[in-house]
Amino acid sequence: MQYTIAPLLLIVSFCLTVPAQTTKRRAATRKTTVAAPQPQPAAQPQPTPSTQPARPPAGPVALVVVNGQTFTTADLGPDVRQEVERLDDKIAEARKNVLDVQINTLLLDVEAKKRHIDTHRLYELEVSNRVGTITPAQIKKFLDENKEQFEGVDPALASKQAAAYLHDEAENKLADDLVNRLRKTNPVVMGVDINSPTLNPAAVLATIGGQPLIAETLIERLKPIVYRMKLEAYELSKQRIDRLVDDTLLLEEARRRQIGPEQIIRTEISDKVRNPTDEEVNKFYSDNKARISGDLNSIRNQLVTYLQNESRQQLEKDLSARLRKGADIRWLMTEPPQPVQNVSVDDDPARGDVNAPVTIVEFTDFQCPACAAMHPVLEEVLKSYGNKVRFVVRDFPLNQHEWARKAAEAANAANAQGKFFEYISVLFKNQKALDTPSLKKYASDLGLDRARFDAALDRGVYATEVEKDVTDGELYGVGSTPTIFVNGVQLKVLSADGLKQAIDTAAANRARASSSQ
């Protein structure tokens, strides 16, 4: 029997915090809308079997030694062990999927050039404009077939989610049909295997309509994908091993005290869990009101339960720390290192010395609240570094923000007149008013040449520039905003301390590299 003291995993919908706004963006020819709960169609097509040969089971790998006792991958449990052992196969499959997406993208490019239009116009003509209206009958049928998925969901919201899902399914079908037609009319000749262990960045992976697809671009695109897959496998293993370490130490402590482990759990945790006072509940509600659905009285019991569990989690952490303090623990597993990506600064707005040892590139959305919250943090931190840091801003408007793309164009128009950073400060302070008339008013407030500014905005002069940033961002694995890279390494902790640490680490690494050369 296990007496787990690892922190409880509590999911409370009204208290979830998200450091950045995220979205699923359209790939070459597919669009996916995120909805909660995620509806599932009545019948699911079966995935295509992988062509990769099955790998032989790997032998046990030592992960940690606790007071002389070694835990290996064999101790992870069959579910976790299977995920870990399948990692290489999953990475190989991901590489093939990315290759397919890139081939589809080039097919669109080739076809668009034949028609003398851009790929967005081609997609509109062949896909977007052909998606029919989702009827009430279709929505009702879908909801009836997926009742369990929508249990407890407001009927109006459920209908909206179902309509969005059905619309995207129809769009995906048309997109797949388009790709299949293009593959028949444009020859696709496969080249070097993308899973080759000796893949050269200059290798040709495929030739599409006479246009070569070079491996270098895909290698860069795969960096964040492969890293996330390795990190997920590591965190899954670490969570299970942490639990085994705590259980082992708990049993040892129980034997030392000559009592049952359940007694230690009761006296050190259960009996000490605090019931929050009314003042604490009221304060928590007040501090988090913007992220809580419902009034205080209707969710008071939920808040009490949440705060009780927070108290329990802290007690579990404290007990774990005390047990580990006197133990001989040698970790043999290591977290996968973050990839260093070749993040281009393009010709985007920048501050600081172009030869600075540290370059920060931020992909941002001017309608994103998380970006607005991070903006003053960046401004304050960067002051202390002066010209030791170069700061570059690139656009990544999210699909769910109706004004974000035009605001990005406006910021580029302001940049053309030398007032980019002044202008985006105004945008972040006025995120509820980013319609075109407001964007023009802000230009007047900053003394910009309105005729020049308005002409650029109305004609969409910078639309291509914004789209270029979005495309590059997707190449680097950007899926949320703000996403910040410090010398090519993505910032994991969006805070002043996290940013300072990343800058100092990047500067130290650059200094070491320079001295070694």
Side-chain angles (χ1 to χ4, degrees):
M1 181 177 183
Q2 292 190 329
Y3 301 91
T4 301
I5 62 172
L8 299 174
L9 177 61
L10 176 69
I11 300 176
V12 182
S13 61
F14 54 80
C15 291
L16 284 179
T17 59
V18 181
Q21 290 218 336
T22 60
T23 184
K24 295 272 190 176
R25 302 188 63 87
R26 179 172 60 81
T29 58
R30 293 188 69 84
K31 178 178 178 182
T32 304
T33 299
V34 177
Q38 179 66 43
Q40 298 294 328
Q44 289 286 344
Q46 294 300 309
T48 303
S50 173
T51 57
Q52 290 291 317
R55 297 175 185 269
V61 177
L63 301 175
V64 66
V65 180
V66 184
N67 292 339
Q69 182 177 354
T70 301
F71 291 101
T72 72
T73 49
D75 298 303
L76 290 174
D79 53 340
V80 177
R81 188 168 66 249
Q82 183 181 33
E83 285 297 310
V84 173
E85 290 175 349
R86 287 186 61 245
L87 178 61
D88 288 341
D89 290 336
K90 291 169 67 177
I91 290 175
E93 194 66 29
R95 290 193 180 108
K96 286 191 171 184
N97 291 337
V98 168
L99 176 59
D100 282 342
V101 169
Q102 196 63 30
I103 289 174
N104 293 347
T105 301
L106 288 179
L107 283 168
L108 288 179
D109 288 340
V110 170
E111 182 67 17
K113 287 176 182 177
K114 287 181 181 178
R115 302 191 193 185
H116 305 290
I117 57 178
D118 61 31
T119 55
H120 291 285
R121 180 58 180 158
L122 173 62
Y123 190 87
E124 285 180 351
L125 291 172
E126 296 292 340
V127 179
S128 301
N129 295 346
R130 296 188 178 187
V131 179
T133 302
I134 305 302
T135 66
Q138 289 175 301
I139 294 173
K140 182 179 183 305
K141 181 175 182 294
F142 184 81
L143 292 175
D144 289 342
E145 293 173 347
N146 296 273
K147 287 181 180 178
E148 293 183 359
Q149 297 292 331
F150 293 95
E151 187 175 351
V153 179
D154 177 75
L157 177 60
S159 295
K160 184 177 180 180
Q161 291 178 348
Y165 183 86
L166 291 170
H167 179 279
D168 289 342
E169 283 296 290
E171 184 170 346
N172 288 342
K173 173 69 166 57
L174 288 169
D176 289 341
D177 291 344
L178 171 61
V179 168
N180 290 333
R181 292 200 307 274
L182 294 181
R183 281 180 178 263
K184 292 177 181 178
T185 57
N186 298 278
V188 177
V189 181
M190 301 307 296
V192 177
D193 184 1
I194 193 173
N195 284 307
S196 169
T198 58
L199 184 63
N200 189 307
V204 176
L205 299 174
T207 303
I208 301 93
Q211 183 174 342
L213 174 56
I214 308 301
E216 184 176 12
T217 300
L218 270 73
I219 290 173
E220 196 65 34
R221 191 181 193 100
L222 281 161
K223 282 182 180 179
I225 296 173
V226 172
Y227 167 71
R228 281 194 293 268
M229 296 176 74
K230 289 181 176 180
L231 184 62
E232 287 173 2
Y234 166 81
E235 290 177 340
L236 191 62
S237 301
K238 183 67 162 57
Q239 184 181 38
R240 183 64 59 89
I241 290 299
D242 269 329
R243 184 175 299 175
L244 290 173
V245 169
D246 285 339
D247 289 346
T248 298
L249 296 176
L250 178 63
L251 290 171
E252 289 182 0
E253 180 67 9
R255 284 195 293 269
R256 188 183 68 80
R257 296 192 199 179
Q258 296 185 337
I259 58 177
E262 69 280 352
Q263 186 175 342
I264 297 177
I265 295 294
R266 184 174 61 253
T267 57
E268 297 287 343
I269 298 176
S270 301
D271 292 347
K272 292 182 179 180
V273 174
R274 285 195 323 105
N275 291 320
T277 64
D278 288 342
E279 291 76 11
E280 290 172 328
V281 173
N282 294 341
K283 184 178 185 305
F284 183 87
Y285 178 80
S286 177
D287 292 344
N288 297 275
K289 189 174 181 179
R291 294 179 288 117
I292 295 176
S293 300
D295 60 90
L296 177 58
N297 290 331
S298 66
I299 64 167
R300 179 177 291 275
N301 290 337
Q302 291 174 282
L303 293 178
V304 169
T305 301
Y306 178 78
L307 293 173
Q308 285 174 336
N309 277 283
E310 273 201 328
S311 173
R312 183 178 184 88
Q313 288 176 18
Q314 189 57 54
L315 290 167
E316 290 173 339
K317 290 178 182 178
D318 293 343
L319 176 57
S320 174
R322 288 198 300 273
L323 293 175
R324 293 185 182 210
K325 188 174 182 180
D328 178 15
I329 303 175
R330 288 186 294 117
W331 288 99
L332 305 177
M333 59 188 301
T334 57
E335 182 175 335
Q338 280 188 270
V340 180
Q341 298 177 247
N342 299 320
V343 180
S344 170
V345 299
D346 201 30
D347 57 352
D348 287 285
R351 284 193 311 206
D353 190 343
V354 68
N355 296 314
V358 176
T359 297
I360 295 176
V361 180
E362 178 192 23
F363 285 86
T364 192
D365 174 320
F366 299 116
Q367 199 178 341
C368 161
C371 296
M374 191 64 192
H375 181 67
V377 175
L378 280 160
E379 293 283 299
E380 187 62 30
V381 170
L382 294 180
K383 283 180 185 177
S384 61
Y385 289 92
N387 280 332
K388 295 179 181 178
V389 175
R390 186 186 186 202
F391 177 46
V392 182
V393 180
R394 303 197 64 179
D395 300 305
F396 201 81
L398 303 180
N399 291 336
Q400 65 261 41
H401 293 155
E402 60 175 323
W403 296 326
R405 191 169 287 265
K406 207 63 181 176
E409 293 180 34
N412 279 274
N415 181 56
Q417 299 189 41
K419 290 289 184 73
F420 175 80
F421 287 97
E422 295 87 344
Y423 190 81
I424 67 172
S425 291
V426 175
L427 296 183
F428 282 131
K429 292 175 183 176
N430 296 275
Q431 289 190 317
K432 293 184 178 180
L434 296 179
D435 54 283
T436 298
S438 296
L439 295 174
K440 293 178 178 180
K441 175 183 179 300
Y442 304 146
S444 293
D445 294 342
L446 290 173
L448 300 182
D449 181 339
R450 272 292 302 273
R452 181 181 170 192
F453 181 92
D454 290 5
L457 195 60
D458 293 340
R459 295 173 186 170
V461 171
Y462 297 102
T464 301
E465 172 64 28
V466 173
E467 186 57 32
K468 172 67 163 53
D469 282 2
V470 171
T471 301
D472 283 358
E474 290 175 341
L475 169 65
Y476 307 133
V478 176
S480 64
T481 54
T483 294
I484 299 170
F485 295 92
V486 182
N487 278 6
V489 178
Q490 186 174 338
L491 181 65
K492 296 180 73 173
V493 181
L494 295 174
S495 68
D497 289 341
L499 181 59
K500 289 176 183 176
Q501 183 178 351
I503 293 173
D504 294 342
T505 299
N509 290 340
R510 180 60 58 87
R512 280 194 295 270
S514 298
S515 62
S516 65
Q517 290 173 359

